[in-house]
């Protein structure tokens, strides 16, 4: 009889202890042996075929020790143990299943980081080593992301299958664009993914430095957050019909100044029917620190819009307070011959607290405007606040008070407005609302207006219920205009969207609409300006939508029916609208059929043309939009047809083509429209052709900037002064923060557009010479930086393996990639690694150091007893470090005796 018992072995250990219990049940002696059969990666270390000698009824316990190698496969591995007699005949056999947990550890290491490039034509080569430290073969994908400003982020991919305890070296090569080569430094991200689930196992960043004798400052957050100013010039020619020709020039751009930056934009149009060009949206902006000055076109859409020729100024206090003032003469064209202030003028001032906090800020504004046509002077003083209470509730509120002085009436009229909107939720009900009120003589943009809007929605299981209510009233009042103007609209909607069934969704809505106004009384022959005409409707809307993501198709059909009461009619009328939309890839088709007037304006126009004819409208359209040439070329075209009593039979078409390249762009816009209603007919063709020239983009900096003039020399007498007879250092690389500069033949380099502030000169030892690392402060527009070089010493050493091959355990005889730390004054100042021969070297300034072996980088099952040495480096001398003796762990043989 033979049984296998599991010994005491820690989990995930490489040593497996088994005990084989053998008992002789016969009445005579037994003599035989044990024989083992193990999978690949398992090795018996307690004897290959131990002898078994048993007396009658005797039982023995035989220990078996097995090494589980690193190449053992994951999963269940059968270990067979056979008991044979002395003639080799099989007596019995047992199988022990040993389960090895899956280990999918992968290591990703950069082999050439950082990367220094001395030529703009030199390609970037990123080398990565991926090591499979686990016990299963792994299919991986490496993705290398290169941030090219001209071509966008470039993603390079490579795939490989890495076997157990093997590694692979991947090389990504990329030829950078001129824009990328101009950057002083940038980062390349490398990420590793396990296939097929794209599970990320590691990532690394490669820092690339473009070495040059002249470098420009680059914002450290340039790649992620800073926005470049697009410098471009666009010229176009447009022809409208047979009589109008227009030439237009549009451009914008900016450049840095020693203190701040200057930004300009312009828009100039010249028509054949006008003597003067039309110059709008044209100004010059000077930004100096926290001050901004602007002159030219002013376009501020405040409570009273100020548009015209003028100037603006703003100042930021700290980081959260801002003051703005501006003046405009209400003349749209900058080169208009009319005298300054002829068409009126205005100015404003605005103060804001927490300018960079969109969730909680407060502002106050004062606006003044003189209107020569109304002969009035208007003033508005108002406040605005934004406040986010939590993730659910937020609110915006405005309060404005107005004061108007009229010269003709010789009196002053006060007015005011208030507005508030909010977003929030109460339990499962989502709420949002917008409310506005202004008095009749309020001089702001929305005079005599009332708006009440409230939306409520709730999701219940897979249903969505909602209700919307809108009430608006527009009743402005003027002293120079006697006819009253009143328009009022009330709209209420209630509905639900049912659960989606496969790709189909259905919605059902009820709508109520009430509109009244006196604006169309002339269309009905009514002379009473105070009489209001009403349109009231009740509608039921059914909506069905379908979509298929894979085939890129979607369709929406809306069926709208209702009853309506029109002005001048006492009975109810039927109305309906059918709206269908279908899209397939780049095509979109839309059709609308309407019977009955849905708005008071439609009824008024149709009544004026034909009193006894019901309003009907048919609209058909087909559109196509697609990008080509890697999204550089866009083509958009379409056809439309409208047929109703107001517009007649009106076909139209358009085609727009646009190309966006690196250096230039071009566009072509053309449209055709035909109008035919009764005896009226018109045919209009429009054609436009333009060209855009893209100039080099600029990252504008509002702060003061200086130029660092670098001089590098060999300080042979160590007095830190460039003495007569000492030589300059040519082709020497220095590091300022993360920027690498290489000196010219006369030992100079230039770092331009550097904002005032503190910078660190980082040590970069070369050619046996070094400079001290320190911090300096740039506080002038031209900053001289003299860098004396001092001679350093050379350190050399090696590792040596000392072991007995007969008793040593298995190990990887690897001398490369063993890491050492060089420490001075308890700080790690340098790291170095051994080569394939176990040798290492380093260049160090004079001084005392400690070199320490990093044992975690040694091969498995090896160790070093003496892990550090103290060394003294002297200028120009070679220091030999004593050998680091690497020893190998030895096999341990344990003998145990078992008996009854």
């Amino acid at each position: 009889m033979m049984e296998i018992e599991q010994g005491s072995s820690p989990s995930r250990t490489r040593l497996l202890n088994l005990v084989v219990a053998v008992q002789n049940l016969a009445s005579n002696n037994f003599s035989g042996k044990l024989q083992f059969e193990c999978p690949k990666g398992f090795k018996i270390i307690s004897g290959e075929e131990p002898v078994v000698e048993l007396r009658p009824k005797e039982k023995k316990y035989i220990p078996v020790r097995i090494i589980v190698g690193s190449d053992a496969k994951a999963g269940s591995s059968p270990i067979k143990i056979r008991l044979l007699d002395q003639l080799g005949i099989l007596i019995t056999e047992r199988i022990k299943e040993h389960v090895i947990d899956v280990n999918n550890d992968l290591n990703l290491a950069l082999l050439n980081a950082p990367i220094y490039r001395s030529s703009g034509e030199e390609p970037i080569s990123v080398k990565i080593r991926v090591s499979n430290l686990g016990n299963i073969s792994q299919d991986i994908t490496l993705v290398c992301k290169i941030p090219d400003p001209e071509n966008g982020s470039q993603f390079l991919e490579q795939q490989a299958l890495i076997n157990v305890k093997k590694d692979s070296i991947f090389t990504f090569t990329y030829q950078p664009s001129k824009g990328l080569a101009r950057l002083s430094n940038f980062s390349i991200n490398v990420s590793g993914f396990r296939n097929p689930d794209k599970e990320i196992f590691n990532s690394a960043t490669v820092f690339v430095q473009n070495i040059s004798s002249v470098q420009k400052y680059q914002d450290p957050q340039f790649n992620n957050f800073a926005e470049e100013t697009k410098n471009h010039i666009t010229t176009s020619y447009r022809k409208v019909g047979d009589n109008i020709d227009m030439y237009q020039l549009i451009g914008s751009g900016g450049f840095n100044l020693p203190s701040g930056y200057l930004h300009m934009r312009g828009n100039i149009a010249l028509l054949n029917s006008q003597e003067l060009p039309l110059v709008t949206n044209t100004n010059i902006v000077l930004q100096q620190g926290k001050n901004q000055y602007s002159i030219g076109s002013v376009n501020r859409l405040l409570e009273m819009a100020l548009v015209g020729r003028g100037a603006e100024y703003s100042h930021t206090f700290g980081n959260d307070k801002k003051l703005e003032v501006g003046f405009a003469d209400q003349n749209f064209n900058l080169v208009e011959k009319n005298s300054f202030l002829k068409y009126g003028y205005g100015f404003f001032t605005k103060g804001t607290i927490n300018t960079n906090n969109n969730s909680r800020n407060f502002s106050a504004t004062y606006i003044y405007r003189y209107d020569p046509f109304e002969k009035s002077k208007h003033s508005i003083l108002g406040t605005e606040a934004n406040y986010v209470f939590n993730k659910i509730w937020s609110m915006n509120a405005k309060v404005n008070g107005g004061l108007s002085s009229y010269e003709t009436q010789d009196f002053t009229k006060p007015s005011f407005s208030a507005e508030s909107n909010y977003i929030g939720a109460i339990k499962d009900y989502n709420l949002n609302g917008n409310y506005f009120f202004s008095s009749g003589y309020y001089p702001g943009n929305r005079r005599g207006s009332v708006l009440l809007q409230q939306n409520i929605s709730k999701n219940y299981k897979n249903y969505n219920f909602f209700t919307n209510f809108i009430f608006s009233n527009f009743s402005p009042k003027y002293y120079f205009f006697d006819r009253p103007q009143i328009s009022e609209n009330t709209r209420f909607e209630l509905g639900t969207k049912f659960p989606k069934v496969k790709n189909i969704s259905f919605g059902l809505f009820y709508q109520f609409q009430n509109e009244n106004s006196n604006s169309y009384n002339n269309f009905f022959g009514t002379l009473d300006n105070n009489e209001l005409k009403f349109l009231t409707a009740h509608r039921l809307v059914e909506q069905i939508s379908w979509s298929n993501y894979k085939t890129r198709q979607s369709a929406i059909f809306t069926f709208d029916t209702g009853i309506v009461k029109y002005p001048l009619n006492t009975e109810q009328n039927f109305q309906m609208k059918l709206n269908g939309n279908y899209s397939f890839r780049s095509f979109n088709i839309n059709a609308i059929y309407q019977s009955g007037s849905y708005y008071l304006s439609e009824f008024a126009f149709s009544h004026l043309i034909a009193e006894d004819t019901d309003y009907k409208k048919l609209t058909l359209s087909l559109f196509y939009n697609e990008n080509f040439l890697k999204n550089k070329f866009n083509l958009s075209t379409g056809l439309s047809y409208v047929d109703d009593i107001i517009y007649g039979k009106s076909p139209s078409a358009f085609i727009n083509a646009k190309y966006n390249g690196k250096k230039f762009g071009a566009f072509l816009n053309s449209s055709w429209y035909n109008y035919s209603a009764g005896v009226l007919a018109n045919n209009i063709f429009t054609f436009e052709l333009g060209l855009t020239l893209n100039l080099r983009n600029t990252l504008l900096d509002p702060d003061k900037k200086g130029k660092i003039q670098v001089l590098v020399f060999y300080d042979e007498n160590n007095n830190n002064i460039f003495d007569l007879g000492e030589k300059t250092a040519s082709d020497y690389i220095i590091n300022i923060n993360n920027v690498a500069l290489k000196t010219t033949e006369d030992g100079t380099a230039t770092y331009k557009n550097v904002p005032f502030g503190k910078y660190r000169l980082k040590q970069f030892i070369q050619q046996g010479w070094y400079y001290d690392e320190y911090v300096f402060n740039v506080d002038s527009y031209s900053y001289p930086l003299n860098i004396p070089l001092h001679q350093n010493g050379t350190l050399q050493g090696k590792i040596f393996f000392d072991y007995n091959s007969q008793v040593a355990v298995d190990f990887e005889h690897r001398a490369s990639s063993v890491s050492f730390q060089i420490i001075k004054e308890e700080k790690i100042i340098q790291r170095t690694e051994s080569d394939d021969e176990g040798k290492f070297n380093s260049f160090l300034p004079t001084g005392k150091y400690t070199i320490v072996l990093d044992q975690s980088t040694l091969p498995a099952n090896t160790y070093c007893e003496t892990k550090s040495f103290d060394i003294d480096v002297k200028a120009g001398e070679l220091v030999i470090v004593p050998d680091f003796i690497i020893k190998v762990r030895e096999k341990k043989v344990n003998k145990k005796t078992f008996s009854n």
Side-chain angles (χ1 to χ4, degrees):
M1 184 186 69
M2 180 179 67
E3 298 294 338
I4 302 175
E5 299 178 4
Q6 180 75 46
S8 58
S9 300
S11 60
R12 295 181 69 98
T13 183
R14 295 184 62 188
L15 180 62
L16 178 61
N17 292 317
L18 299 179
V19 177
V20 179
V22 184
Q23 185 176 7
N24 185 5
L25 302 178
S27 58
N28 54 343
N29 294 335
F30 175 81
S31 179
K33 62 180 179 180
L34 293 179
Q35 195 177 72
F36 306 98
E37 182 180 330
C38 298
K40 182 181 178 181
F42 291 75
K43 183 179 180 181
I44 306 294
I45 62 174
S46 58
E48 292 294 334
E49 294 184 349
V51 177
V52 180
E53 298 286 350
L54 295 173
R55 295 188 300 271
K57 306 302 181 181
E58 183 182 7
K59 186 175 184 181
K60 284 188 177 181
Y61 296 87
I62 303 172
V64 179
R65 305 189 74 189
I66 304 174
I67 289 290
V68 182
S70 59
D71 56 343
K73 293 184 178 181
S76 180
S77 300
I79 302 173
K80 292 183 179 180
I81 302 178
R82 297 186 179 94
L83 178 63
L84 309 176
D85 62 12
Q86 58 185 354
L87 298 178
I89 300 174
L90 178 65
I91 304 301
T92 184
E93 179 184 84
R94 294 290 184 267
I95 297 177
K96 176 65 177 179
E97 295 286 345
H98 179 68
V99 178
I100 301 177
D101 295 338
V102 173
N103 181 4
N104 62 352
D105 290 343
L106 290 167
N107 181 54
L108 186 149
L110 300 172
L111 300 182
N112 60 336
I115 298 175
Y116 293 92
R117 300 178 65 253
S118 57
S119 172
E121 303 298 327
E122 178 184 351
I124 299 173
S125 181
V126 180
K127 294 184 178 180
I128 303 101
R129 180 171 60 204
V130 178
S131 302
N132 186 353
L133 306 178
N135 52 19
I136 57 172
S137 298
Q138 300 191 60
D139 185 13
I140 68 163
T141 298
L142 277 189
V143 179
C144 182
K145 178 185 177 183
I146 301 176
D148 197 324
E150 292 188 6
N151 301 319
S153 294
Q154 298 294 305
F155 294 90
L156 310 179
E157 289 191 9
Q158 291 190 34
Q159 292 187 354
L161 179 65
I162 304 181
N163 294 323
V164 177
K165 303 304 176 182
K166 301 294 182 180
D167 56 25
S168 295
I169 295 178
F170 301 82
T171 301
F172 294 93
T173 303
Y174 180 75
Q175 183 63 48
S177 65
K178 293 183 179 179
L180 186 61
R182 282 194 298 266
L183 300 180
S184 59
N185 54 72
F186 55 92
S187 298
I188 297 176
N189 295 321
V190 180
S191 299
F193 300 89
R194 291 188 180 91
N195 295 328
D197 298 329
K198 297 301 181 182
E199 175 193 358
I200 187 169
F201 65 83
N202 210 336
S203 63
T205 300
V206 183
F207 195 68
V208 183
Q209 289 187 322
N210 291 320
I211 303 173
S212 174
S213 60
V214 178
Q215 296 273 29
K216 287 187 177 181
Y217 177 81
Q218 177 182 309
D219 193 305
Q221 299 183 2
F222 166 78
N223 291 328
N224 297 322
F225 304 106
E227 293 186 0
E228 286 185 310
T229 298
K230 294 183 178 181
N231 300 332
H232 68 93
I233 298 175
T234 299
T235 179
S236 65
Y237 165 73
R238 186 182 306 161
K239 186 176 183 63
V240 182
D242 298 328
N243 303 320
I244 300 177
D245 295 283
M246 186 177 77
Y247 304 88
Q248 190 171 15
L249 182 66
I250 303 173
S252 68
F255 55 88
N256 284 300
L257 301 173
S259 178
Y261 64 81
L262 197 67
H263 182 265
M264 298 167 288
R265 64 173 182 171
N267 182 10
I268 304 174
L270 181 62
L271 281 76
N272 58 345
S273 59
Q274 292 183 347
E275 295 182 2
L276 288 176
L278 183 64
V279 182
T280 60
N281 293 326
T282 301
N283 57 12
I284 300 175
V285 177
L286 173 63
Q287 180 81 44
Q288 288 184 321
K290 297 181 179 181
N291 297 299
Q292 186 181 88
Y293 310 86
S294 175
I295 186 171
S297 297
V298 174
N299 189 0
R300 297 301 296 258
L301 300 180
L302 304 170
E303 282 298 311
M304 284 191 300
L306 297 181
V307 179
R309 301 175 294 190
E312 294 181 83
Y313 167 77
S314 67
H315 177 77
T316 302
F317 301 88
N319 294 321
D320 60 351
K321 299 179 181 65
K322 187 175 183 179
L323 177 65
E324 302 171 85
V325 295
F327 176 86
D329 75 338
Q330 298 295 104
N331 201 321
F332 189 67
N333 191 358
L334 286 186
V335 295
E336 184 65 53
K337 291 184 178 180
N338 293 318
S339 60
F340 199 58
L341 309 182
K342 180 178 180 180
Y343 294 129
Y345 59 89
F347 66 86
F348 76 93
T349 178
K350 180 179 180 180
T352 306
I353 299 176
N354 291 338
T355 55
N356 297 322
N357 187 352
N358 294 326
S359 60
R360 296 182 182 182
N361 57 53
F362 176 82
S363 64
T365 307
Y366 173 75
I367 312 168
Y368 173 86
R369 190 178 69 187
Y370 173 70
D371 187 349
F373 303 100
E374 197 177 1
K375 296 195 180 296
S376 59
K377 300 174 183 178
H378 303 291
S379 296
I380 292 180
L381 178 64
T383 61
E384 179 179 359
N386 292 286
Y387 197 88
V388 176
F389 299 93
N390 48 45
K391 294 181 180 181
I392 299 176
W393 287 93
S394 62
M395 184 189 69
N396 169 270
K398 299 179 183 178
V399 177
N400 296 284
L403 194 65
S404 302
S405 176
Y406 297 90
E407 298 178 2
T408 305
Q409 286 77 15
D410 192 23
F411 69 92
T412 301
K413 180 68 175 178
S415 59
F416 80 98
S417 73
E419 181 178 7
S420 176
N421 57 74
Y422 76 94
I423 298 175
I426 299 177
K427 293 183 178 181
D428 296 333
Y429 293 89
N430 300 313
L431 310 172
N432 68 81
N434 184 20
Y435 309 96
F436 176 81
F437 172 82
S438 65
S439 56
Y441 290 97
Y442 179 66
N445 301 322
R446 294 179 287 177
R447 173 180 296 201
S449 297
V450 176
L451 174 64
L452 304 176
Q453 181 178 354
Q454 180 62 57
N455 302 324
I456 303 175
S457 65
K458 174 183 173 59
N459 291 324
Y460 178 72
K461 293 184 178 180
N462 293 327
Y463 293 82
N464 175 260
F465 300 93
F466 65 91
T467 178
N468 304 319
F469 173 77
I470 300 176
F471 172 80
S472 64
N473 181 282
F474 180 61
S475 304
K477 296 181 180 180
Y478 304 90
Y479 286 106
F480 67 94
F481 185 64
D482 296 333
R483 181 175 178 176
Q485 182 180 358
I486 302 174
S487 293
E488 186 175 284
N489 283 277
T490 303
R491 188 182 184 92
F492 174 75
E493 188 175 59
L494 176 67
T496 182
K497 293 183 179 179
F498 294 89
K500 195 172 184 179
V501 179
K502 293 185 178 180
N503 295 330
I504 300 175
S505 59
F506 178 74
L508 182 64
F509 323 122
Y510 163 75
Q511 291 179 349
F512 167 78
Q513 177 186 343
N514 181 71
E515 180 182 2
N516 62 79
S517 176
N518 65 346
S519 300
Y520 307 100
N521 287 0
N522 292 338
F523 291 75
F524 305 122
T526 302
L527 300 179
D528 186 0
N529 294 328
N530 294 318
E531 184 179 349
L532 300 178
K533 300 300 181 182
F534 290 84
L535 184 149
T536 304
H538 300 268
R539 305 186 187 101
L540 190 64
V541 182
E542 300 90 18
Q543 185 182 81
I544 300 176
S545 62
W546 170 83
S547 63
N548 190 307
Y549 176 78
K550 293 183 179 180
T551 60
R552 294 169 57 186
Q553 295 184 83
S554 65
I556 299 177
F557 178 75
T558 303
F559 183 45
D560 186 340
T561 57
I563 55 174
V564 59
K565 184 177 181 181
Y566 297 122
L568 311 179
N569 294 341
T570 57
E571 69 279 1
Q572 301 283 350
N573 293 269
F574 175 78
Q575 63 176 192
M576 64 171 290
K577 181 187 291 187
L578 301 177
N579 189 344
N581 184 280
Y582 171 74
S583 64
F584 174 68
R585 297 183 181 272
S586 301
F587 291 92
N588 184 277
I589 302 174
N590 190 72
I592 301 175
Y593 175 76
Q594 177 181 329
S595 176
S597 300
Y598 270 60
Y599 300 97
L600 196 57
S601 58
E602 292 177 343
F603 180 80
F605 280 103
S606 62
H607 179 81
L608 179 66
I609 297 173
E611 294 185 8
D612 300 328
T613 302
D614 292 335
Y615 177 78
K616 288 181 174 59
K617 182 178 181 179
L618 175 65
T619 302
L620 301 173
S621 60
L622 170 64
F623 300 103
Y624 174 80
N625 184 76
E626 187 60 278
N627 293 319
F628 304 92
L629 301 176
K630 296 181 179 180
N631 295 328
K632 292 182 179 180
F633 181 78
N634 174 263
L635 176 64
S636 180
T637 184
L639 300 170
S640 295
Y641 176 78
V642 178
D643 183 7
D644 71 353
I645 196 173
I646 300 175
Y647 297 98
K649 296 176 173 59
S650 303
S652 63
F654 76 93
I655 181 171
N656 298 331
K658 187 175 183 179
Y659 173 79
N660 288 319
K662 295 180 182 179
K663 300 297 183 181
F664 72 94
F667 59 89
L668 170 66
N669 300 323
S670 181
S671 64
W672 168 76
Y673 175 74
N674 181 273
Y675 174 79
S676 177
V679 296
L680 299 177
N682 198 359
N683 194 70
I684 300 176
F685 178 76
T686 302
F687 172 82
E688 182 181 20
L689 179 65
L691 180 67
T692 299
L693 180 62
N694 297 319
L695 306 177
R696 180 182 299 181
N697 294 343
T698 305
L699 189 64
L700 301 178
D701 190 342
D703 299 323
K704 294 181 179 180
K705 296 170 285 293
K707 180 171 63 175
I708 300 177
Q709 301 280 7
V710 180
L711 174 64
V712 184
F713 62 93
Y714 296 107
D715 187 19
E716 297 179 352
N717 57 6
N718 290 326
N719 65 350
N720 296 326
I721 299 175
F722 186 41
D723 298 317
L724 184 64
E726 291 182 332
K727 297 180 181 180
T728 58
S730 61
D731 296 330
Y732 196 92
I733 299 175
I734 64 168
N735 276 318
I736 300 178
N737 284 6
N738 292 322
V739 176
L741 294 99
K742 188 175 184 180
T743 59
T744 60
E745 293 182 357
D746 58 358
T748 61
T750 305
Y751 192 16
K752 296 180 177 180
N753 296 334
V754 180
F756 283 17
K758 292 183 178 181
Y759 296 86
R760 176 175 289 277
L761 184 65
K762 294 186 176 181
Q763 197 175 85
F764 197 79
I765 301 173
Q766 306 144 77
Q767 306 162 4
W769 295 82
Y770 74 96
Y771 54 82
D772 293 327
E773 185 173 298
Y774 63 93
V775 176
F776 60 95
N777 186 36
V778 177
D779 55 2
S780 61
Y781 295 115
S782 180
Y783 185 87
L785 181 62
N786 293 339
I787 302 177
L789 300 180
H790 306 288
Q791 196 171 16
N792 57 19
T794 304
L795 176 149
Q796 287 186 358
K798 65 179 180 179
I799 63 175
F800 176 77
F801 285 92
D802 181 15
Y803 65 99
N804 185 343
S805 60
Q806 295 182 352
V807 296
V809 300
D810 294 338
F811 76 102
E812 180 184 6
H813 198 293
R814 171 178 56 83
S816 63
S817 302
V818 177
S819 179
F820 300 87
Q821 298 174 350
I822 301 175
I823 301 174
K824 183 178 183 180
E825 296 178 354
E826 298 182 355
K827 292 183 180 179
I828 300 175
I829 64 170
Q830 197 178 119
R831 286 183 171 87
T832 185
E833 289 186 351
S834 60
D835 58 18
D836 292 338
E837 297 178 356
K839 297 179 181 180
F840 60 90
N841 60 75
S842 179
F843 300 102
L844 295 170
T846 57
K848 294 183 178 181
Y849 301 87
T850 300
I851 181 167
V852 181
L853 170 68
D854 185 356
Q855 290 199 104
S856 64
T857 62
L858 289 174
N861 293 324
T862 64
Y863 65 97
C864 182
E865 293 179 347
T866 305
K867 298 181 288 295
S868 65
F869 293 102
D870 294 329
I871 55 176
D872 188 5
V873 177
K874 296 181 180 179
E877 295 184 3
L878 176 63
V879 179
I880 304 297
V881 181
D883 292 347
F884 285 89
I885 307 301
I886 310 301
K887 295 187 177 183
V888 182
R889 303 187 189 279
E890 298 180 350
K891 300 176 181 177
K892 293 182 180 180
V893 179
N894 297 327
K895 294 184 179 180
K896 295 183 180 180
T897 302
F898 298 88
S899 66
N900 292 334

